[in-house]
Amino acid sequence: MNITSSEEQVLLRDTVSRFLADRTDPATAGEGPISQDDWHALGELGLFGFLLPEEAGGLGGGPQDVMIVAEEFGRALAITPLAEGIVGAADAIARGGDAAAIETWVAPAMTGDHVLAVAVADVSTDGARLTGRADFILSAVDAAALVVIGAGATWLVERDADGLSIEPVRLIDGSAAGMVRFDGTPALVLRQEDGDTTLAMIRLCHVAELVGGDVHAVRADRGVCTPAPAVRRRDRQLSGRST
């Protein structure tokens, strides 16, 4: 396996690093989510398109590209919807949705205009409708749509769909999550599978963010690693203590 970065990947890392350095105040890094203006600017820069499949208008970046971007986000302690919104939800819609779904949901996510969320849910189905719940779902409150992963299938649910309710909760790092309830909520099937690939890519993204965050902590504390709140939140997600 070749793990050497290509010239394109070196440029990718440098671009993300410079952008975040210019937009981040080291004194407040990790204290709150990235601003909508900065998220939109990253989309306009073409970063999200670089990571998404070619069939959705992206450049087809692979796992190594995802790791490069996520590591730089972690190093800057940037709290973003990269893992769930781009690497998870947008990618799942790009690979499983039709042309209309890609145009409606992936294209705006690619430019940073829409936020998407992934909900691992305990749901039952009645035809094309879902009933059940998913707790502490990152970005659910602000999401234009949810990619719902249940037993045996992955669905797309619009934010304003009938029977969908989201109760907002605030996490310790300042980011918003939601307690999601489905009550006969209409959904579009994206894949007849359990979403393992999507979840694996999200976890890969979180691991890379943790690596970058640990580098930040070591530098800041001269060898003593004391992760900031943003890094501790990602550690809880990976260990299963929160969704």
Side-chain angles (χ1 to χ4, degrees), residues 24-34 76-79 170-175 228-231:
T24 303
D25 180 356
T28 59
E31 292 185 359
I34 192 170
L77 300 184
I79 302 173
R170 186 68 61 179
L171 302 182
I172 192 172
D173 61 9
S175 57
V231 180

Side-chain angles (χ1 to χ4, degrees), residues 70-81:
E71 187 174 336
E72 291 306 315
F73 275 33
R75 185 173 285 114
L77 300 184
I79 302 173
T80 79

